[in-house]
Structures are given as structure tokens and as C-alpha cells.
Amino acid sequence: MGAIILIVLLGIAVVGLMVAGSAIRVVQQFEHGIVFRFGQVQRGGQLRPGAVRAPGLTAIIPVMERMQKVSRQTITMDVPAQEGITEDNVSVRVDAVVYFRVVDPVKAIVNVHNYGYAVSQVAQTSLRSVIGQADMQELLGEREKINTRLRRIIDEITQDPWGILIERVEIKDVSLPEGMKRSMARQAEAERERRARIITADGEFQASKRLAAAAEIMSQDPAALQLRLLQTVVEVSAEKNSTLVMPLPVEILRFFDRMTGDAKKIAGEGAAEEKPDLGERLAKAEQELAKAADASSPALESPEDVPPVIGLDEPGSAQGVAAPRADERQGLAGGEPGTAGGEPGTAAGERREPPRD
């Protein structure tokens, strides 16, 4: 008898433990518990007290109540790629990703069945609608605008009725047809070439202005041209090559510089006389030299003022000049007709005046 009582007590204890185990529940920190009592969570159009359980240890009435847990974490869901035609008639294939979380657990459980699948379908249809309302340039260059529009459309459908907040929507990839890709590549290449030509032309224009300014400064100081020439020679000689450098004399540059300065001066004066050429200046200089020579040599008053000439004076003169040798006398005697041992047209022993300048 005592054994039967013991078995009954053990059975009651086991049943009690089982009932207690089914009544005690643990709600995680990122979850909320929705308790249905006889299948109801609301009473009289209002939320029943104790219908939503906070995180922690809680208990429900077995058989009478049932708890369903809802995660309040942010859920990341991929939107399958959708094909569509843009506003400018371009076929594209676009895929996206949606970030959402549950803000009202009761609505997410009661008002919609499988809220994750419902959000996915809404995101796909909204993505197709946005593709048809945008053009290709917006899809490629203004994605932030497309993301904002897509988020607003999905959130309007899901937040109030379902208690789901769409935090962010991002377009991951936009696939274009191969023909459109080649056309865009050609367009980008042409644009880059246009920019390169404009930059090159602008650089040449600026360089020409700098060179003109440098030439103007060098023309004011002839020494600058010589320094620039020497610098060029140094730069060329620094490299080990077979270049032959033939420097132009600086005097020629100075000559051209003087000629340019004279031409500018004549052009500025207007009615000034033209400068004589080089031949006329040389002839004039020779005439002035001849006049100066005639003025510097005094005229001889008498034959005695003529200085003696060695070899032409009389033999045995007072100057002590030696008499000519026999061969010299023979040479003088055998002169041309009309001469007497001297130059033609002069008598023997006659003094000859030296030629005047």
C-alpha cells in the first residue's frame, strides 16, 4: 500500500515539473514575447494587459496561453535582381538590399503572415516601379536619390499596417546591355580626348605668353642673351651624347640687336633721315683720314731740306757713305735709254725728292 502511494506521489511530482517547465519561458534581450490567451491578444479592441512580455524570465498559464517570440533586430534582406526598361528606353537589370526591423511586434504577428516574405515582395515591386520612372543617368549617377525614393515607397506600405520600419534601401548593381556599355565607353573616351586637347592648347597659350615676356626682358639687356646661350651650352654638355654644339657669336646677336634698336628709333622718330649704309660710312672715313694726313705733313721749302737717302746720294759724300761696287756701277751704267745710271728721266748724280704723302 505504501509503495502505491509513493508511485502516485512521484507521478504527481513529474506532472508538476512538466507543467512548470511548460509555463516558464525565457525572453532574450533582442526579443519580445507575444502571449495569446485562448488565441486572443486583444480584448475589446485594446491590447490585453500582459500580452507583450519584456525580455527576461516570464511565466504563462499552460494550455490557456501560448507565447510567440518576435525579434527586434535589424534584418538584412537581399532583393532579387529585377529587369526593367528605364524612362529613356534602356533595358537594365537592378538588384538591391533592404534593412528593416520590427517596431510593433503585435502588428507584425497579427496583421501580416510571414512579414519577411511580405517585405521582400513589396521591395521587388517597388524596385520595378522606380526603374520605370527613372532614366539611365539617374540610375548610374544619382543612386542616393533613387535609394531615398525607394525607401519612402516601401516604408509607406509596411510601417503603419505591419509595424515594420524600413531603415535603409541600397541599390547594389545596375547591369547594362553590352551595346550600351560600348557606346558609353566611346563617349567617355571622346570626352577624355576633348579635355586633353583643351588642356594642351591652354598650356601652349600660357607658354607662349611666358616666352614673349622672357624675350621682352632679354631684349632690354644684351648680356642676358649671352648668359642664356652659355646656360644652353652647359645643359647640352651635361648629357653624354654625340650632339655637336656650334654656339653663335654674341657679337652677331648684339649687331642684330643694335640694328633692331636703330630701326625702332627711326620708326619712332618718323621724319628722321635714313642712316647711311656701311660702304658710304667707310668712304667718308677714308676721306677724313686723308685730310688729316695732309694737314700733319709740312711742305718742304728747298732741296736742302730733303733728308739724304742711303744708296742714292753721291759717292764720297760728307755723310761717309761707301762708294758703290764695280758691279753696281756696271748695273747703273747699263740702264735703260734715257737714263744715266739712275732711274728713268733723271740725270746722273741728281738728287730725287722723296714722294710726298
Side-chain angles (χ1 to χ4, degrees), residues 128-354:
R128 285 178 176 269
S129 176
V130 170
I131 291 174
Q133 296 176 2
D135 56 5
M136 185 187 64
Q137 188 64 31
E138 290 181 354
L139 289 176
L140 296 178
E142 300 180 6
R143 291 193 178 183
E144 188 65 28
K145 181 179 178 180
I146 301 298
N147 296 337
T148 303
R149 186 189 307 176
L150 188 58
R151 175 186 175 276
R152 184 176 65 251
I153 295 174
I154 301 175
D155 191 64
E156 184 179 356
I157 300 174
T158 59
Q159 184 171 4
D160 290 336
W162 300 345
I164 296 174
L165 176 64
I166 305 299
E167 294 183 343
R168 191 173 183 84
V169 179
E170 292 286 345
I171 293 179
K172 294 196 299 184
D173 187 24
V174 178
S175 300
L176 299 176
E178 293 298 329
M180 182 59 65
K181 291 182 180 179
R182 289 192 295 268
S183 300
M184 294 177 64
R186 289 195 298 268
Q187 179 183 0
E189 184 179 357
E191 179 66 21
R192 293 293 181 182
E193 185 176 358
R194 182 184 67 86
R195 293 182 182 180
R197 290 184 179 180
I198 292 176
I199 293 174
T200 302
D202 190 16
E204 292 180 356
F205 175 70
Q206 295 181 5
S208 63
K209 292 176 63 177
R210 296 294 183 181
L211 290 175
E216 182 66 22
I217 295 175
M218 288 185 178
S219 63
Q220 298 177 3
D221 190 0
L225 297 175
Q226 185 175 2
L227 293 176
R228 182 57 183 167
L229 177 61
L230 296 177
Q231 183 180 1
T232 304
V233 173
V234 171
E235 291 177 356
V236 174
S237 61
E239 300 179 0
K240 296 181 180 180
N241 51 22
S242 59
T243 304
L244 180 61
V245 180
M246 297 296 294
L248 187 68
V250 182
E251 287 75 9
I252 296 179
L253 301 178
R254 292 179 179 176
F255 171 74
F256 285 114
D257 184 59
R258 288 195 299 269
M259 294 295 293
T260 305
D262 295 340
K264 291 182 179 179
K265 185 176 181 181
I266 293 173
E269 294 177 355
E273 297 181 357
E274 295 183 358
K275 189 175 181 180
D277 56 359
L278 183 60
E280 294 178 359
R281 286 184 289 173
L282 291 177
K284 186 176 180 180
E286 290 180 356
Q287 293 178 3
E288 292 178 357
L289 289 175
K291 290 179 181 180
D294 293 342
S296 62
S297 59
L300 298 177
E301 300 295 338
S302 61
E304 287 77 7
D305 296 335
V306 178
V309 180
I310 298 175
L312 297 179
D313 293 339
E314 294 180 359
S317 60
Q319 286 79 7
V321 180
R325 296 191 301 271
D327 54 351
E328 292 179 355
R329 290 196 300 269
Q330 184 178 0
L332 292 174
E336 295 180 2
T339 62
E343 294 181 359
T346 58
E350 183 180 359
R351 293 182 178 180
R352 181 173 58 86
E353 295 181 359

